[in-house]
Each structure stands twice: as structure tokens, then as C-alpha cells.
Amino acid sequence: MPNAIYQYSTASINILLKRKDDSKEFIVIKNDKKKISSIAWSRFGFPAKRLTDNSYKRIVGFASCFECKHTYSFQSGGSGSTKSLLNHKCKKRAPLANRQASPLNKIIKLEKTTAPKLAAIDYTEIHDDLTKWICSSIRPFNIVTDPGFKIFLETIVNISQEYHAPIDIDDILVSPAAISNNIHKLAEYYRSLIRSVLIDQAESGTLAISPDLWTDKSKNVNYLSLTVYFVATDFELYTIDLCCTPYNEVDKTGESVLQAIRQQLHLYGLLPYMDDHKITFTSDREPIILKALKGQPVIYCCAHRIDNVLKRAFYQTAQKREKKILNASTTSGKRQLTEYQLICDSSSDSSSSEDDTTAPSPSKYVEAHTLLVDIPLKAKEILTTITASKKLVKYVKLTGLNKDIEDLGGIVLKQDCIVKWLLLSNMLESIDASLEYVRSIFLKSKNQYYFKLDHISMDGLKDLICLLKEFKNVSLQVQTGTRPSLHMAYICINKLERHLNGTDVDKYGKFINIDDRHEGTDFFRKRLFQLLQCMFTFDNKHIVAAALHPLYRKLTFATTYNKTFAYVYIREQIDEILGLNKQLMTLYEPLQKRHKTMEDQFADPDDEFDTQGVSSPSANTFNYDELERYLQMNIEDFYKQPNPLPFWRDHQSMFPALSLLARRLFSIPVTSVGVERHFSSAGLTITQRRSSLDPDTINDVLFVRSIQHLLESKPNFFF
């Protein structure tokens, strides 16, 4: 016969046990079974209800914590599992109360009392032991603040509280070989979990991949790395370093790289989606990668293109090749090759393939067409300033003068990097801030190098800093990894063009006057502008992503062609998603308006629907489609933020097709810097102290690391 005592839930028992009254109608009774196989019963018992005779009857099917009264479902007999009880984190459980004087290889079970303050002798002993370990093993000081180290210690403390006797530390610590084996097991477990997730994203067309090759020069091992991006159904952007696997192909041809990529995608069941072009790739212009991805949807890295524009503008890629050709042409008396042809043939950066670059017209793009030997005298002074600045920094570093500069109140001179030419901006800024201190040091030491400071034009230096400032800002903007970035190409290229042609505005909406201190700066402004127009072409997805961002949906700063094509593309995608065939409509170009921040500067002038923008259909035509309703709606200020995903998350029922298209586009990164960050992690993993690490183990370590970072922010991601 059913009894009321069986008609409880875990939630109701939690409430009843925690009631603050004196009736003790519900309590937790001890498990009085003679043979108890699990240590969980040292902290858990059974909830019970008081009967009329003041005895207690167990509520079958549950187990409750003595301390916090938290209740779990539990079936007695052979079918009952104490796993959830063992994993319970009791909020009221007392931490360590005291500590007996014993070696560090013992962890003692202590009484459950209020946590005391550590005694001075104990506090000192802990500090001493940590200090001795860090010094003897040459570990970084901040290892004591590492979250993983803290979690490990907490786990040991929690386990120790389950026992009533000391635990040998050797029973807790494991061998290096065991850790290596466990890394492999954990990596395989995570791969089995992520496989279905990636297949679901690829099926929806929301999976993007950034591939690249890297060489560990210390061991001369080649690696293939794949970083995946997707916006899941919760409208959150996720990034996972899928692999950094040894590249074992016979050569580095496009066909071999393609084979290596396909092998990795096959592990996750993604090959059919690659073959159906449902996966979008983001890559720099590395020729080998481009050959491997021929025929696939590819978005070129915006950051690499901007960097290459700067290199070419300041003649950093063609000088050796140019000298060779000019010497040959001088002998023949002919100079038929243009500077553009020279830089295309002689790029020192392997990521600078220019298959899609428009050749500049000699009449329209004069500065972009100018040979190095033909640039104006004042422009040469700018290049001389750059060269002299690089030599100065190198000299200061070699002679150890940075310490003297700091002592006088200056800042350390920073060296540039040939890989990332934008670091030149940091170098010039450091020289501008410390040049007078350097001059003072040279005068006091009567250093002959002082006279070479005359090669640095202060006006040219300040102009270069001003010129490169927006390039640096833009580079930082497009390299964001925490939110969607595909639309940033629309913002940043517009910003650079206005910065270079003198139509830019400040945060108050007022035009910024270009007042070049040095005459040569004007040449490089024009040259940069022309090369930017020649070397950068908007991908259709760049513009469409901007249109699906609530701040830029009317594409105010886009050309009429790009705007029209974007809206046509969106409607085609809606037709494909919904299976419809609606009539296309005439689109418009809204009026311009000044804005404050860089990202706001290119936002739409207003959120009111302009009837001149989109022609309204008559009453006897079809209902407004999703794009029309999206363009016409008033968007709340809350959604006018850099991240467009909250808008589509909250309006997916209103715009089912557009929201899916938004997920597809905003899954695609505008740069490939994510996979390069993966290589940086690999470089930190492979050190001289860990030179014996197997490449496959490195792959597993980096994959587990990536998943762990994901689970730190989303603990229930897989469940």
C-alpha cells in the first residue's frame, strides 16, 4: 500500500531538513548497516520523518549530508551508487583544524571544527617548503598562484578528510609515465565528446577552421595546426585548438597539406562537410595553404594583409630583388619592370601571395607605382629615419644602455620584428619618448654614435608615429578572439582609408586635419592609401556580416555595389534556408552621420526605418521578408554593442533564417591569429627542459589544454 513517506522529491526533502524549528520532524539518520563498503557514509545518512511515537522512519530512495542536509537520490541494495555522494562539495564542511608536526609526505585527517588561523610556525614552514622547491627545481614564482595548482591541493585536502588515518603522499602522486598515459586517455575522451558537437555545427554550416603549418626548429619537427570556431545554438562563440599534430607528409606541397588536413578532419567525421563546402576556412596567404584549400570557401586574414600593405609601402620587401634587377637593367640601359612587379616577385614574407591583388594603374596610383630609387628626397628622409632608428635600438641593446635610460627617467627602447611590421610603431614611440635621454648619455660618454642621431628626423619620427597609430589600433581590433570579428573588416578598412585620405573624424565628430610636420609623410600617406585599395578587396561575407550587425545593418559606409550585393546575398541565403523564392527589392544608401568611437563611427545614422531606403511592397504583394523586417525594426540600445550575438539570440524566433545565417557568418574569424596563438602555446610547451616530449604527446597536451579552458567558462558544455 502506498505510503506518504515515499512521495517526496530531493528538493522537498532539502527544504524540510533545513527548516529552522525545534520540532525535529525531519532529520538525517546514520546508515546502521554493519558492512559499509563506501567512505561516503562517514558524511551521509538517510533522511527520516518522525512518527507519532517519536521514532523516525527512513524516507526510502534518498541520501542526505549530515552537515549541509543536501539530498541526492539513492537506491539501496546492489543498484545504489555512491559516486554523487563522493563528489559532493559540502558548503558547511569544516576545513583543516590543526596540523600535527609531521613530514610533508603525510596528510592527516582532522576533526571537523571551525577553520583556525594558521600558526606562525606552520605558515613559515609552508613558505619555506615552497621556496625551496621553486629554487631547487627552477620553477617560476607565480606557480603558487596557478589555478591548477590550487585545485590540485584542494583535491588532496578534500580526499584526506574522507579518511581517519594519515595518507601516504606516494599514494596520491603518480609517476610521469602515468601522467603521460592519462593525458592520452583524457585527450581521447575529450575527442569522443567534441566529435558530435563539431558534426552538429558542420551540419548547420556554422563551423570555421583556421589551418597553418609550424616548425619546431629545436627538433626540426613540422606541425599542422587546426583551430576551429563556431557559434553554437546558445549564440556563444567557441574556439577550440583541435590539433597541433606532427606533419608526416613526404613534402610540403598543396596536395600533401590537403591530405594532412583531411586526415585530421576524418578523425571527427567532418570530411563529408568539407567536400560539401559547408566548412569555411580562414587563412593567411601562405601559398601552400592556399593551394591545399583551392576550391574551398576561404576568408583571407585581414591582419596579415594590413601588415603586408605596410611592408610594401615602406619598401621592406623588395630591396634585395630590386637592386639585382636594377643592376641588370642598368647594363642593358632599360628599366621596364615596375616597382609593383618587383615587390610581387620579391616578398620576403611567405604569406604574401598576391593572386588576388589588383595591379595599380601607373596614372591613377602614382605613388604606389614609384620605384625606390625614384621617390622624393623628403620621402627618402623618412626611410632614413626608420633605418637609423632600428640601428639605434640595436646599438643600445648591445651596449646595455637601456638601464641608463631608465635611470634618467626614460623608457626602454623596443626592438621591432620583421614578422610583425606593426611592432615598428612601438619602437618609434619608445625612441620618441627617450631620444633626449639617449642624446644626453651619448654626450656624457663622448660616444661617437651620437653623430648618427642626426639621421633621425624628429618631425619625420613624430609623423610616422601618427601615421602608424591607426594601423596599430586597427590591428588590435581585428585580432579580437573573444567575440565575432568578421564584420571588423568593414569597420577597419573604412577607418584606415579615412585616416589616410584626410576625411577621418575624432570622437566628437569633427574632421581631423592632417598637418604633416615632414614633407615626406604626404608621399607615404598617398602610397599607403593606394596600396590599401589595390591589395585589399572586401570579401562578400565581410559586408554581409556587417549588415547582420545591429550597428551597421544599413551599410552606410559601403559602396552601392557592395551594399546591393550584400542584401541580395542575404535574401538568397534566406531562400535557401527557408526554401522560398521571394522577389528581390531595390535597396538604398542611407545618409552619413558622425559617431564617437572607431566602431561607432561606421554605425548606421539612425534606427528609424527610412522609407526611402527600401521600397515598400504594395498590399497585394508578398509579406515583408525577414531582411525587410530586420532593416525596419527599432533596435533597443542594449543591443548596440560590439558583440552582435545577444541580439540574434533574443530574436531568433522572430528571424529564424537570419539568426542561422548570423551564426554561420559570425563563426568565421576575420584573421588567422588564433591558430598562431596555438603555435605560441606549442612553443611554450616544447622547451629545452622538455625536449624529449613526443610530438603526439604535445598534440594531446595542447588539445586537453584547449578543452580545459573551454570547460572553465562553460562547465556543462558537453552535458
Side-chain angles (χ1 to χ4, degrees), residues 454-501:
D454 294 340
H455 294 167
I456 299 177
S457 166
M458 289 305 299
D459 287 342
L461 181 69
K462 293 183 182 297
D463 277 1
L464 280 171
I465 293 172
C466 179
L467 187 61
L468 295 174
K469 180 180 178 181
E470 287 305 330
F471 279 89
K472 185 168 70 172
N473 292 340
V474 161
S475 181
L476 293 174
Q477 289 281 345
V478 298
Q479 293 183 49
T480 176
T482 58
R483 57 182 172 89
S485 61
L486 189 60
H487 64 284
M488 291 302 300
Y490 167 78
I491 299 167
C492 293
I493 299 304
N494 275 293
K495 180 68 176 179
L496 289 179
E497 288 186 350
R498 281 156 179 75
H499 170 64
L500 294 171
N501 65 20

Short mmCIF file of all heavy atoms in Angstrom, two decimals, residues 454-501:
data_model
loop_
_atom_site.label_atom_id
_atom_site.label_comp_id
_atom_site.label_asym_id
_atom_site.label_seq_id
_atom_site.Cartn_x
_atom_site.Cartn_y
_atom_site.Cartn_z
N ASP A 454 71.73 62.33 -35.80
CA ASP A 454 71.29 63.35 -36.76
C ASP A 454 70.54 62.74 -37.92
O ASP A 454 69.83 63.44 -38.65
CB ASP A 454 72.51 64.12 -37.28
CG ASP A 454 73.18 64.93 -36.18
OD1 ASP A 454 72.51 65.19 -35.16
OD2 ASP A 454 74.37 65.28 -36.33
N HIS A 455 70.67 61.43 -38.12
CA HIS A 455 69.95 60.76 -39.21
C HIS A 455 68.48 60.56 -38.88
O HIS A 455 67.70 60.18 -39.75
CB HIS A 455 70.60 59.41 -39.51
CG HIS A 455 71.98 59.53 -40.05
ND1 HIS A 455 72.85 58.45 -40.15
CD2 HIS A 455 72.67 60.60 -40.53
CE1 HIS A 455 73.99 58.85 -40.66
NE2 HIS A 455 73.91 60.15 -40.89
N ILE A 456 68.12 60.78 -37.62
CA ILE A 456 66.73 60.62 -37.20
C ILE A 456 66.06 61.98 -37.23
O ILE A 456 66.40 62.87 -36.43
CB ILE A 456 66.63 60.01 -35.79
CG1 ILE A 456 67.26 58.62 -35.77
CG2 ILE A 456 65.17 59.93 -35.34
CD1 ILE A 456 67.26 57.96 -34.41
N SER A 457 65.14 62.17 -38.13
CA SER A 457 64.37 63.42 -38.22
C SER A 457 63.25 63.38 -37.19
O SER A 457 62.39 62.50 -37.24
CB SER A 457 63.78 63.58 -39.63
OG SER A 457 62.79 64.59 -39.65
N MET A 458 63.26 64.32 -36.25
CA MET A 458 62.23 64.33 -35.21
C MET A 458 60.86 64.57 -35.80
O MET A 458 59.87 63.97 -35.37
CB MET A 458 62.56 65.39 -34.16
CG MET A 458 63.75 65.04 -33.28
SD MET A 458 63.56 63.42 -32.47
CE MET A 458 62.09 63.70 -31.49
N ASP A 459 60.76 65.47 -36.78
CA ASP A 459 59.46 65.70 -37.43
C ASP A 459 58.99 64.44 -38.15
O ASP A 459 57.82 64.06 -38.09
CB ASP A 459 59.56 66.87 -38.42
CG ASP A 459 59.66 68.21 -37.71
OD1 ASP A 459 59.31 68.26 -36.51
OD2 ASP A 459 60.09 69.19 -38.34
N GLY A 460 59.93 63.79 -38.86
CA GLY A 460 59.57 62.56 -39.55
C GLY A 460 59.19 61.46 -38.57
O GLY A 460 58.27 60.67 -38.82
N LEU A 461 59.89 61.40 -37.44
CA LEU A 461 59.59 60.39 -36.42
C LEU A 461 58.19 60.57 -35.87
O LEU A 461 57.41 59.61 -35.76
CB LEU A 461 60.62 60.49 -35.29
CG LEU A 461 60.49 59.49 -34.14
CD1 LEU A 461 60.82 58.09 -34.62
CD2 LEU A 461 61.40 59.89 -32.99
N LYS A 462 57.84 61.80 -35.52
CA LYS A 462 56.51 62.07 -34.97
C LYS A 462 55.42 61.81 -36.01
O LYS A 462 54.32 61.33 -35.69
CB LYS A 462 56.43 63.51 -34.45
CG LYS A 462 57.32 63.76 -33.24
CD LYS A 462 57.17 65.17 -32.73
CE LYS A 462 58.08 65.43 -31.54
NZ LYS A 462 57.77 64.58 -30.38
N ASP A 463 55.70 62.14 -37.27
CA ASP A 463 54.72 61.88 -38.33
C ASP A 463 54.50 60.38 -38.52
O ASP A 463 53.38 59.93 -38.74
CB ASP A 463 55.19 62.50 -39.65
CG ASP A 463 54.84 63.98 -39.74
OD1 ASP A 463 54.25 64.48 -38.77
OD2 ASP A 463 55.16 64.62 -40.75
N LEU A 464 55.59 59.62 -38.46
CA LEU A 464 55.46 58.17 -38.60
C LEU A 464 54.62 57.58 -37.48
O LEU A 464 53.78 56.70 -37.70
CB LEU A 464 56.85 57.52 -38.60
CG LEU A 464 57.62 57.57 -39.91
CD1 LEU A 464 59.05 57.10 -39.71
CD2 LEU A 464 56.94 56.70 -40.97
N ILE A 465 54.82 58.07 -36.26
CA ILE A 465 54.04 57.58 -35.12
C ILE A 465 52.56 57.89 -35.33
O ILE A 465 51.69 57.04 -35.11
CB ILE A 465 54.55 58.23 -33.81
CG1 ILE A 465 55.95 57.71 -33.50
CG2 ILE A 465 53.60 57.93 -32.66
CD1 ILE A 465 56.62 58.42 -32.33
N CYS A 466 52.27 59.09 -35.78
CA CYS A 466 50.88 59.48 -36.05
C CYS A 466 50.29 58.65 -37.18
O CYS A 466 49.13 58.22 -37.12
CB CYS A 466 50.82 60.96 -36.38
SG CYS A 466 49.17 61.59 -36.76
N LEU A 467 51.10 58.41 -38.21
CA LEU A 467 50.64 57.66 -39.37
C LEU A 467 50.33 56.21 -39.02
O LEU A 467 49.33 55.64 -39.47
CB LEU A 467 51.71 57.72 -40.47
CG LEU A 467 51.36 57.14 -41.84
CD1 LEU A 467 50.19 57.87 -42.46
CD2 LEU A 467 52.57 57.21 -42.76
N LEU A 468 51.17 55.62 -38.17
CA LEU A 468 51.02 54.20 -37.83
C LEU A 468 50.05 53.96 -36.68
O LEU A 468 49.68 52.81 -36.41
CB LEU A 468 52.38 53.61 -37.47
CG LEU A 468 53.42 53.55 -38.59
CD1 LEU A 468 54.76 53.08 -38.06
CD2 LEU A 468 52.94 52.63 -39.71
N LYS A 469 49.64 55.02 -36.00
CA LYS A 469 48.79 54.86 -34.82
C LYS A 469 47.50 54.12 -35.13
O LYS A 469 47.12 53.16 -34.45
CB LYS A 469 48.48 56.23 -34.22
CG LYS A 469 47.59 56.17 -32.99
CD LYS A 469 47.31 57.56 -32.44
CE LYS A 469 46.39 57.49 -31.23
NZ LYS A 469 46.09 58.85 -30.69
N GLU A 470 46.80 54.55 -36.19
CA GLU A 470 45.53 53.91 -36.53
C GLU A 470 45.74 52.50 -37.06
O GLU A 470 44.90 51.63 -36.89
CB GLU A 470 44.75 54.75 -37.54
CG GLU A 470 44.13 56.01 -36.96
CD GLU A 470 43.24 55.72 -35.77
OE1 GLU A 470 42.63 54.63 -35.70
OE2 GLU A 470 43.15 56.58 -34.88
N PHE A 471 46.87 52.27 -37.73
CA PHE A 471 47.17 50.91 -38.18
C PHE A 471 47.31 49.98 -36.98
O PHE A 471 46.85 48.83 -37.01
CB PHE A 471 48.44 50.89 -39.03
CG PHE A 471 48.22 51.32 -40.45
CD1 PHE A 471 48.32 52.65 -40.82
CD2 PHE A 471 47.91 50.39 -41.43
CE1 PHE A 471 48.11 53.06 -42.12
CE2 PHE A 471 47.70 50.78 -42.75
CZ PHE A 471 47.80 52.12 -43.09
N LYS A 472 47.96 50.47 -35.94
CA LYS A 472 48.11 49.65 -34.74
C LYS A 472 46.76 49.42 -34.06
O LYS A 472 46.46 48.30 -33.64
CB LYS A 472 49.08 50.33 -33.77
CG LYS A 472 49.39 49.49 -32.54
CD LYS A 472 50.55 50.05 -31.75
CE LYS A 472 50.20 51.34 -31.05
NZ LYS A 472 51.27 51.78 -30.12
N ASN A 473 45.95 50.47 -33.97
CA ASN A 473 44.62 50.33 -33.37
C ASN A 473 43.76 49.33 -34.13
O ASN A 473 43.08 48.49 -33.55
CB ASN A 473 43.92 51.69 -33.32
CG ASN A 473 44.58 52.65 -32.35
OD1 ASN A 473 45.31 52.23 -31.46
ND2 ASN A 473 44.33 53.93 -32.52
N VAL A 474 43.81 49.44 -35.45
CA VAL A 474 43.02 48.54 -36.29
C VAL A 474 43.48 47.11 -36.15
O VAL A 474 42.69 46.17 -36.07
CB VAL A 474 43.10 49.01 -37.76
CG1 VAL A 474 42.71 47.88 -38.71
CG2 VAL A 474 42.19 50.21 -37.99
N SER A 475 44.80 46.92 -36.09
CA SER A 475 45.34 45.57 -35.95
C SER A 475 44.87 44.93 -34.66
O SER A 475 44.52 43.74 -34.63
CB SER A 475 46.87 45.63 -35.97
OG SER A 475 47.43 44.34 -35.84
N LEU A 476 44.82 45.69 -33.58
CA LEU A 476 44.32 45.16 -32.31
C LEU A 476 42.84 44.83 -32.39
O LEU A 476 42.37 43.85 -31.81
CB LEU A 476 44.58 46.17 -31.19
CG LEU A 476 46.06 46.43 -30.84
CD1 LEU A 476 46.18 47.54 -29.82
CD2 LEU A 476 46.71 45.16 -30.31
N GLN A 477 42.08 45.65 -33.11
CA GLN A 477 40.64 45.44 -33.22
C GLN A 477 40.32 44.15 -33.97
O GLN A 477 39.46 43.37 -33.54
CB GLN A 477 39.99 46.64 -33.94
CG GLN A 477 39.94 47.91 -33.13
CD GLN A 477 38.83 47.92 -32.11
OE1 GLN A 477 37.92 47.11 -32.17
NE2 GLN A 477 38.90 48.83 -31.16
N VAL A 478 41.00 43.92 -35.08
CA VAL A 478 40.64 42.75 -35.90
C VAL A 478 41.13 41.45 -35.27
O VAL A 478 40.66 40.37 -35.64
CB VAL A 478 41.21 42.87 -37.34
CG1 VAL A 478 40.62 44.06 -38.05
CG2 VAL A 478 42.73 42.92 -37.33
N GLN A 479 42.07 41.55 -34.32
CA GLN A 479 42.61 40.33 -33.73
C GLN A 479 41.87 39.90 -32.47
O GLN A 479 42.35 39.04 -31.74
CB GLN A 479 44.10 40.52 -33.41
CG GLN A 479 44.95 40.69 -34.66
CD GLN A 479 46.43 40.81 -34.36
OE1 GLN A 479 46.99 40.02 -33.61
NE2 GLN A 479 47.07 41.80 -34.95
N THR A 480 40.70 40.46 -32.22
CA THR A 480 39.93 40.05 -31.07
C THR A 480 39.57 38.57 -31.18
O THR A 480 39.24 38.08 -32.25
CB THR A 480 38.64 40.89 -30.94
OG1 THR A 480 37.86 40.39 -29.84
CG2 THR A 480 37.80 40.80 -32.20
N GLY A 481 39.64 37.86 -30.05
CA GLY A 481 39.33 36.44 -30.07
C GLY A 481 38.16 36.07 -29.18
O GLY A 481 37.81 34.90 -29.06
N THR A 482 37.57 37.07 -28.54
CA THR A 482 36.51 36.80 -27.57
C THR A 482 35.11 37.04 -28.11
O THR A 482 34.13 36.70 -27.46
CB THR A 482 36.71 37.66 -26.32
OG1 THR A 482 36.73 39.05 -26.71
CG2 THR A 482 38.03 37.32 -25.66
N ARG A 483 35.01 37.64 -29.29
CA ARG A 483 33.70 37.92 -29.87
C ARG A 483 33.80 37.85 -31.38
O ARG A 483 34.90 37.83 -31.93
CB ARG A 483 33.18 39.29 -29.42
CG ARG A 483 34.11 40.47 -29.75
CD ARG A 483 33.52 41.78 -29.24
NE ARG A 483 34.42 42.90 -29.35
CZ ARG A 483 34.52 43.70 -30.41
NH1 ARG A 483 33.76 43.46 -31.47
NH2 ARG A 483 35.35 44.73 -30.42
N PRO A 484 32.67 37.82 -32.08
CA PRO A 484 32.72 37.76 -33.55
C PRO A 484 33.53 38.91 -34.14
O PRO A 484 33.51 40.03 -33.62
CB PRO A 484 31.24 37.86 -33.94
CG PRO A 484 30.50 37.31 -32.78
CD PRO A 484 31.29 37.73 -31.58
N SER A 485 34.23 38.61 -35.23
CA SER A 485 35.14 39.62 -35.79
C SER A 485 35.01 39.82 -37.29
O SER A 485 35.64 40.72 -37.83
CB SER A 485 36.59 39.23 -35.47
OG SER A 485 36.91 37.97 -36.05
N LEU A 486 34.21 39.02 -37.99
CA LEU A 486 34.19 39.09 -39.45
C LEU A 486 33.78 40.48 -39.94
O LEU A 486 34.30 40.97 -40.94
CB LEU A 486 33.24 38.03 -40.01
CG LEU A 486 33.27 37.85 -41.53
CD1 LEU A 486 34.66 37.44 -42.02
CD2 LEU A 486 32.24 36.81 -41.97
N HIS A 487 32.85 41.12 -39.23
CA HIS A 487 32.38 42.46 -39.63
C HIS A 487 33.44 43.53 -39.44
O HIS A 487 33.31 44.64 -39.96
CB HIS A 487 31.15 42.84 -38.82
CG HIS A 487 31.42 42.97 -37.36
ND1 HIS A 487 31.57 41.88 -36.53
CD2 HIS A 487 31.61 44.06 -36.58
CE1 HIS A 487 31.82 42.29 -35.30
NE2 HIS A 487 31.85 43.61 -35.29
N MET A 488 34.52 43.21 -38.67
CA MET A 488 35.53 44.22 -38.37
C MET A 488 36.30 44.65 -39.62
O MET A 488 36.88 45.74 -39.64
CB MET A 488 36.50 43.68 -37.32
CG MET A 488 35.89 43.51 -35.93
SD MET A 488 35.20 45.05 -35.26
CE MET A 488 36.64 46.09 -35.23
N ALA A 489 36.32 43.82 -40.66
CA ALA A 489 36.99 44.23 -41.90
C ALA A 489 36.31 45.47 -42.47
O ALA A 489 36.98 46.41 -42.92
CB ALA A 489 36.95 43.08 -42.91
N TYR A 490 34.98 45.49 -42.44
CA TYR A 490 34.20 46.64 -42.93
C TYR A 490 34.56 47.90 -42.14
O TYR A 490 34.75 48.98 -42.71
CB TYR A 490 32.72 46.32 -42.80
CG TYR A 490 31.77 47.48 -42.96
CD1 TYR A 490 31.45 47.99 -44.22
CD2 TYR A 490 31.17 48.08 -41.86
CE1 TYR A 490 30.56 49.03 -44.37
CE2 TYR A 490 30.27 49.12 -41.98
CZ TYR A 490 29.97 49.60 -43.24
OH TYR A 490 29.08 50.65 -43.39
N ILE A 491 34.68 47.77 -40.83
CA ILE A 491 34.96 48.93 -39.98
C ILE A 491 36.40 49.39 -40.17
O ILE A 491 36.66 50.58 -40.39
CB ILE A 491 34.72 48.57 -38.50
CG1 ILE A 491 33.28 48.16 -38.27
CG2 ILE A 491 35.10 49.72 -37.58
CD1 ILE A 491 33.04 47.49 -36.93
N CYS A 492 37.34 48.46 -40.08
CA CYS A 492 38.74 48.83 -40.02
C CYS A 492 39.28 49.37 -41.35
O CYS A 492 40.07 50.32 -41.36
CB CYS A 492 39.56 47.63 -39.56
SG CYS A 492 39.22 47.19 -37.84
N ILE A 493 38.89 48.77 -42.45
CA ILE A 493 39.37 49.27 -43.74
C ILE A 493 38.80 50.65 -44.01
O ILE A 493 39.49 51.54 -44.52
CB ILE A 493 39.03 48.29 -44.87
CG1 ILE A 493 39.71 46.93 -44.61
CG2 ILE A 493 39.45 48.85 -46.22
CD1 ILE A 493 41.22 47.02 -44.46
N ASN A 494 37.53 50.86 -43.68
CA ASN A 494 36.95 52.20 -43.82
C ASN A 494 37.70 53.20 -42.95
O ASN A 494 37.95 54.35 -43.35
CB ASN A 494 35.47 52.18 -43.45
CG ASN A 494 34.59 51.78 -44.61
OD1 ASN A 494 34.47 52.51 -45.59
ND2 ASN A 494 33.97 50.63 -44.51
N LYS A 495 38.04 52.78 -41.73
CA LYS A 495 38.77 53.67 -40.82
C LYS A 495 40.13 54.04 -41.39
O LYS A 495 40.52 55.23 -41.37
CB LYS A 495 38.94 52.97 -39.47
CG LYS A 495 39.67 53.80 -38.42
CD LYS A 495 38.86 54.99 -38.00
CE LYS A 495 39.56 55.76 -36.88
NZ LYS A 495 38.78 56.97 -36.48
N LEU A 496 40.86 53.07 -41.91
CA LEU A 496 42.19 53.33 -42.45
C LEU A 496 42.12 54.24 -43.67
O LEU A 496 42.94 55.16 -43.82
CB LEU A 496 42.88 52.02 -42.80
CG LEU A 496 43.34 51.15 -41.63
CD1 LEU A 496 43.98 49.87 -42.14
CD2 LEU A 496 44.31 51.90 -40.74
N GLU A 497 41.17 54.01 -44.55
CA GLU A 497 41.06 54.85 -45.75
C GLU A 497 40.76 56.29 -45.38
O GLU A 497 41.34 57.22 -45.97
CB GLU A 497 39.98 54.28 -46.68
CG GLU A 497 40.39 52.99 -47.37
CD GLU A 497 39.37 52.52 -48.39
OE1 GLU A 497 38.26 53.10 -48.41
OE2 GLU A 497 39.67 51.58 -49.15
N ARG A 498 39.89 56.50 -44.41
CA ARG A 498 39.59 57.87 -43.99
C ARG A 498 40.75 58.50 -43.24
O ARG A 498 40.97 59.71 -43.32
CB ARG A 498 38.31 57.87 -43.15
CG ARG A 498 37.07 57.78 -44.02
CD ARG A 498 35.86 57.22 -43.30
NE ARG A 498 34.71 57.19 -44.19
CZ ARG A 498 34.54 56.31 -45.18
NH1 ARG A 498 35.46 55.39 -45.38
NH2 ARG A 498 33.49 56.35 -45.96
N HIS A 499 41.48 57.68 -42.52
CA HIS A 499 42.67 58.18 -41.83
C HIS A 499 43.72 58.64 -42.84
O HIS A 499 44.40 59.66 -42.62
CB HIS A 499 43.23 57.06 -40.95
CG HIS A 499 44.58 57.36 -40.36
ND1 HIS A 499 44.81 58.39 -39.47
CD2 HIS A 499 45.80 56.74 -40.53
CE1 HIS A 499 46.08 58.40 -39.12
NE2 HIS A 499 46.70 57.41 -39.75
N LEU A 500 43.85 57.92 -43.93
CA LEU A 500 44.90 58.23 -44.91
C LEU A 500 44.51 59.34 -45.88
O LEU A 500 45.38 60.09 -46.33
CB LEU A 500 45.25 56.96 -45.69
CG LEU A 500 45.91 55.84 -44.88
CD1 LEU A 500 46.01 54.57 -45.71
CD2 LEU A 500 47.29 56.26 -44.38
N ASN A 501 43.22 59.43 -46.21
CA ASN A 501 42.84 60.47 -47.20
C ASN A 501 42.34 61.76 -46.56
O ASN A 501 41.87 62.66 -47.26
CB ASN A 501 41.81 59.92 -48.19
CG ASN A 501 40.48 59.57 -47.52
OD1 ASN A 501 40.16 60.04 -46.43
ND2 ASN A 501 39.71 58.72 -48.19
#
